[in-house]
Amino acid sequence: MPSKDTEELQKKFGENLKKIREEKGLSLREVASRCNLDNSNISKIENGQFNIQLSKIFELAKGLGVEARDLLNF
């Protein structure tokens, strides 16, 4: 079971991902397609229910057209 700190980081990351996705006007499916991920995984990430790997953060950043640091700036 993840620690409270890990859960909080996952939640903050997910909130930031959702904010950036919505600012870009992208759907979950569009992001998933661009990042070669399942759209249900994008939803889980945004809801803080998925501990994302570092390599996936870079894939998400590329798919969103932002820097990885933008996803981690919360």
Side-chain angles (χ1 to χ4, degrees):
M1 177 165 229
S3 71
K4 287 287 185 188
D5 291 337
T6 300
E7 288 176 0
E8 188 62 28
L9 288 173
Q10 286 174 206
K11 183 178 177 186
K12 286 181 180 181
F13 180 86
E15 289 170 352
N16 195 41
L17 171 61
K18 184 175 182 177
K19 178 182 142 235
I20 292 170
R21 177 180 62 78
E22 289 177 342
E23 285 174 353
K24 299 221 171 243
L26 298 171
S27 70
L28 289 171
R29 287 184 194 270
E30 289 171 317
V31 173
S33 176
R34 291 177 177 204
C35 302
N36 198 29
L37 295 169
D38 188 81
N39 62 319
S40 66
N41 285 340
I42 302 293
S43 178
K44 288 177 186 174
I45 294 166
E46 287 187 354
N47 290 311
Q49 300 169 341
F50 192 86
N51 194 358
I52 188 168
Q53 296 176 351
L54 184 59
S55 60
K56 296 296 181 191
I57 291 172
F58 282 91
E59 285 182 44
L60 282 169
K62 184 177 178 183
L64 289 166
V66 298
E67 298 291 327
R69 69 175 169 251
D70 296 327
L71 291 171
L72 297 167
N73 190 21
F74 46 82

